[in-house]
Tab-separated table of all heavy atoms in Angstrom:
chain	number	residue	atom	x	y	z
B	313	ALA	N	6.111	58.589	113.507
B	313	ALA	CA	7.119	57.752	112.726
B	313	ALA	C	6.618	56.414	112.274
B	313	ALA	O	6.875	56.002	111.148
B	313	ALA	CB	8.406	57.622	113.643
B	314	ASP	N	5.945	55.763	113.194
B	314	ASP	CA	5.561	54.343	112.924
B	314	ASP	C	4.353	54.259	111.977
B	314	ASP	O	4.361	53.569	111.019
B	314	ASP	CB	5.247	53.537	114.227
B	314	ASP	CG	6.515	53.411	115.077
B	314	ASP	OD1	7.585	53.706	114.572
B	314	ASP	OD2	6.421	53.002	116.220
B	315	VAL	N	3.306	54.962	112.433
B	315	VAL	CA	2.092	54.860	111.583
B	315	VAL	C	2.172	55.619	110.327
B	315	VAL	O	1.572	55.257	109.338
B	315	VAL	CB	0.865	55.355	112.459
B	315	VAL	CG1	-0.353	55.154	111.691
B	315	VAL	CG2	0.875	54.673	113.803
B	316	HIS	N	3.016	56.674	110.292
B	316	HIS	CA	2.992	57.550	109.181
B	316	HIS	C	4.328	57.686	108.438
B	316	HIS	O	4.651	58.733	107.864
B	316	HIS	CB	2.470	58.905	109.559
B	316	HIS	CG	1.140	58.753	110.240
B	316	HIS	ND1	-0.011	58.616	109.544
B	316	HIS	CD2	0.761	58.554	111.516
B	316	HIS	CE1	-1.021	58.375	110.349
B	316	HIS	NE2	-0.604	58.344	111.633
B	317	GLY	N	5.200	56.657	108.585
B	317	GLY	CA	6.454	56.684	107.915
B	317	GLY	C	6.397	56.960	106.497
B	317	GLY	O	7.077	57.774	105.946
B	318	ASP	N	5.417	56.261	105.814
B	318	ASP	CA	5.312	56.453	104.392
B	318	ASP	C	4.820	57.858	104.001
B	318	ASP	O	5.310	58.456	103.076
B	318	ASP	CB	4.262	55.409	103.745
B	318	ASP	CG	4.886	54.041	103.917
B	318	ASP	OD1	6.067	53.920	104.110
B	318	ASP	OD2	4.084	53.068	103.681
B	319	ALA	N	3.879	58.306	104.795
B	319	ALA	CA	3.325	59.654	104.578
B	319	ALA	C	4.456	60.664	104.706
B	319	ALA	O	4.635	61.593	103.860
B	319	ALA	CB	2.270	60.029	105.580
B	320	LEU	N	5.356	60.486	105.765
B	320	LEU	CA	6.425	61.415	106.010
B	320	LEU	C	7.440	61.367	104.861
B	320	LEU	O	7.900	62.412	104.414
B	320	LEU	CB	7.130	61.031	107.345
B	320	LEU	CG	8.300	61.892	107.817
B	320	LEU	CD1	7.895	63.346	107.923
B	320	LEU	CD2	8.751	61.405	109.165
B	321	GLU	N	7.749	60.151	104.371
B	321	GLU	CA	8.639	59.966	103.254
B	321	GLU	C	8.166	60.821	102.021
B	321	GLU	O	8.903	61.582	101.379
B	321	GLU	CB	8.655	58.520	102.862
B	321	GLU	CG	9.712	58.097	101.908
B	321	GLU	CD	10.942	57.650	102.698
B	321	GLU	OE1	10.874	57.378	103.906
B	321	GLU	OE2	12.018	57.462	102.061
B	322	GLY	N	6.847	60.628	101.760
B	322	GLY	CA	6.270	61.373	100.619
B	322	GLY	C	6.300	62.891	100.820
B	322	GLY	O	6.664	63.650	99.860
B	323	LEU	N	6.046	63.343	102.037
B	323	LEU	CA	6.015	64.779	102.315
B	323	LEU	C	7.397	65.278	102.184
B	323	LEU	O	7.648	66.442	101.714
B	323	LEU	CB	5.401	65.053	103.683
B	323	LEU	CG	3.928	64.812	103.823
B	323	LEU	CD1	3.575	64.734	105.341
B	323	LEU	CD2	3.184	65.927	103.193
B	324	ALA	N	8.419	64.548	102.687
B	324	ALA	CA	9.825	64.977	102.598
B	324	ALA	C	10.244	65.179	101.109
B	324	ALA	O	10.886	66.161	100.795
B	324	ALA	CB	10.715	63.968	103.264
B	325	LYS	N	9.812	64.300	100.272
B	325	LYS	CA	10.126	64.441	98.852
B	325	LYS	C	9.515	65.737	98.288
B	325	LYS	O	10.189	66.460	97.523
B	325	LYS	CB	9.586	63.270	98.060
B	325	LYS	CG	10.441	61.992	98.230
B	325	LYS	CD	10.366	61.171	96.936
B	325	LYS	CE	11.343	59.977	97.083
B	325	LYS	NZ	10.651	58.725	97.534
B	326	ARG	N	8.331	65.998	98.689
B	326	ARG	CA	7.650	67.229	98.125
B	326	ARG	C	8.308	68.447	98.724
B	326	ARG	O	8.428	69.459	97.994
B	326	ARG	CB	6.124	67.218	98.495
B	326	ARG	CG	5.410	66.052	97.805
B	326	ARG	CD	3.939	66.155	97.908
B	326	ARG	NE	3.466	67.390	97.266
B	326	ARG	CZ	2.351	68.040	97.585
B	326	ARG	NH1	1.612	67.596	98.508
B	326	ARG	NH2	2.046	69.110	96.965
B	327	VAL	N	8.811	68.418	99.988
B	327	VAL	CA	9.489	69.557	100.567
B	327	VAL	C	10.806	69.767	99.843
B	327	VAL	O	11.185	70.903	99.501
B	327	VAL	CB	9.677	69.350	102.116
B	327	VAL	CG1	10.680	70.354	102.635
B	327	VAL	CG2	8.347	69.572	102.833
B	328	MET	N	11.515	68.670	99.570
B	328	MET	CA	12.801	68.773	98.860
B	328	MET	C	12.643	69.343	97.471
B	328	MET	O	13.452	70.108	97.006
B	328	MET	CB	13.444	67.380	98.668
B	328	MET	CG	14.054	66.829	99.949
B	328	MET	SD	14.475	65.086	99.803
B	328	MET	CE	15.931	65.140	98.758
B	329	ALA	N	11.510	69.040	96.857
B	329	ALA	CA	11.247	69.570	95.578
B	329	ALA	C	10.766	71.018	95.552
B	329	ALA	O	10.579	71.623	94.457
B	329	ALA	CB	10.239	68.653	94.764
B	330	GLY	N	10.522	71.552	96.721
B	330	GLY	CA	9.999	72.907	96.824
B	330	GLY	C	8.554	73.012	96.545
B	330	GLY	O	8.048	74.168	96.381
B	331	GLU	N	7.823	71.913	96.502
B	331	GLU	CA	6.372	71.919	96.144
B	331	GLU	C	5.544	72.349	97.335
B	331	GLU	O	4.450	72.770	97.163
B	331	GLU	CB	5.939	70.585	95.662
B	331	GLU	CG	6.507	70.172	94.334
B	331	GLU	CD	6.400	68.685	94.091
B	331	GLU	OE1	5.540	67.971	94.753
B	331	GLU	OE2	7.084	68.157	93.214
B	332	VAL	N	6.034	72.038	98.568
B	332	VAL	CA	5.269	72.297	99.728
B	332	VAL	C	6.290	72.757	100.807
B	332	VAL	O	7.496	72.436	100.773
B	332	VAL	CB	4.500	71.057	100.166
B	332	VAL	CG1	5.418	69.967	100.632
B	332	VAL	CG2	3.428	71.387	101.182
B	333	ASP	N	5.830	73.639	101.713
B	333	ASP	CA	6.726	74.094	102.772
B	333	ASP	C	6.587	73.113	103.928
B	333	ASP	O	5.636	72.367	104.067
B	333	ASP	CB	6.484	75.508	103.125
B	333	ASP	CG	5.131	75.688	103.841
B	333	ASP	OD1	5.068	75.397	105.051
B	333	ASP	OD2	4.131	76.039	103.170
B	334	PRO	N	7.632	73.118	104.820
B	334	PRO	CA	7.669	72.189	105.903
B	334	PRO	C	6.464	72.295	106.918
B	334	PRO	O	6.096	71.347	107.581
B	334	PRO	CB	8.972	72.331	106.549
B	334	PRO	CG	9.557	73.607	106.077
B	334	PRO	CD	8.904	73.876	104.721
B	335	TYR	N	6.002	73.528	107.010
B	335	TYR	CA	4.895	73.771	108.038
B	335	TYR	C	3.627	73.098	107.474
B	335	TYR	O	2.898	72.419	108.233
B	335	TYR	CB	4.604	75.220	108.233
B	335	TYR	CG	5.586	75.826	109.221
B	335	TYR	CD1	6.824	76.208	108.799
B	335	TYR	CD2	5.263	75.925	110.533
B	335	TYR	CE1	7.739	76.736	109.694
B	335	TYR	CE2	6.183	76.383	111.457
B	335	TYR	CZ	7.444	76.771	111.025
B	335	TYR	OH	8.283	77.255	111.943
B	336	THR	N	3.350	73.242	106.230
B	336	THR	CA	2.197	72.605	105.629
B	336	THR	C	2.349	71.088	105.698
B	336	THR	O	1.372	70.387	105.974
B	336	THR	CB	2.049	73.053	104.132
B	336	THR	OG1	1.994	74.544	104.200
B	336	THR	CG2	0.779	72.560	103.567
B	337	ALA	N	3.555	70.637	105.458
B	337	ALA	CA	3.825	69.204	105.530
B	337	ALA	C	3.545	68.704	106.988
B	337	ALA	O	2.957	67.638	107.150
B	337	ALA	CB	5.272	68.869	105.140
B	338	ALA	N	4.002	69.474	107.985
B	338	ALA	CA	3.821	69.084	109.326
B	338	ALA	C	2.335	68.962	109.687
B	338	ALA	O	1.876	68.146	110.413
B	338	ALA	CB	4.570	69.998	110.321
B	339	ASP	N	1.588	69.978	109.180
B	339	ASP	CA	0.131	69.957	109.370
B	339	ASP	C	-0.511	68.725	108.831
B	339	ASP	O	-1.358	68.086	109.540
B	339	ASP	CB	-0.533	71.161	108.679
B	339	ASP	CG	-0.242	72.507	109.364
B	339	ASP	OD1	0.245	72.513	110.533
B	339	ASP	OD2	-0.494	73.558	108.770
B	340	SER	N	-0.103	68.310	107.653
B	340	SER	CA	-0.659	67.108	107.066
B	340	SER	C	-0.376	65.896	107.969
B	340	SER	O	-1.253	65.036	108.182
B	340	SER	CB	-0.049	66.792	105.666
B	340	SER	OG	-0.173	67.906	104.850
B	341	LEU	N	0.778	65.836	108.435
B	341	LEU	CA	1.300	64.746	109.354
B	341	LEU	C	0.382	64.718	110.574
B	341	LEU	O	-0.101	63.640	110.973
B	341	LEU	CB	2.745	64.969	109.712
B	341	LEU	CG	3.564	63.701	110.038
B	341	LEU	CD1	3.572	62.763	108.863
B	341	LEU	CD2	4.967	64.161	110.366
B	342	ILE	N	0.210	65.827	111.199
B	342	ILE	CA	-0.600	65.911	112.452
B	342	ILE	C	-2.080	65.510	112.113
B	342	ILE	O	-2.654	64.707	112.886
B	342	ILE	CB	-0.525	67.290	113.055
B	342	ILE	CG1	0.861	67.540	113.676
B	342	ILE	CG2	-1.593	67.439	114.156
B	342	ILE	CD1	1.095	68.965	114.141
Side-chain angles (χ1 to χ4, degrees):
Chain B
D314 295 350
V315 184
H316 305 279
D318 292 346
L320 182 54
E321 192 93 12
L323 288 166
K325 284 212 175 96
R326 297 191 61 206
V327 166
M328 283 166 77
E331 293 164 14
V332 69
D333 69 80
Y335 281 83
T336 306
D339 288 346
S340 306
L341 206 59
I342 290 174

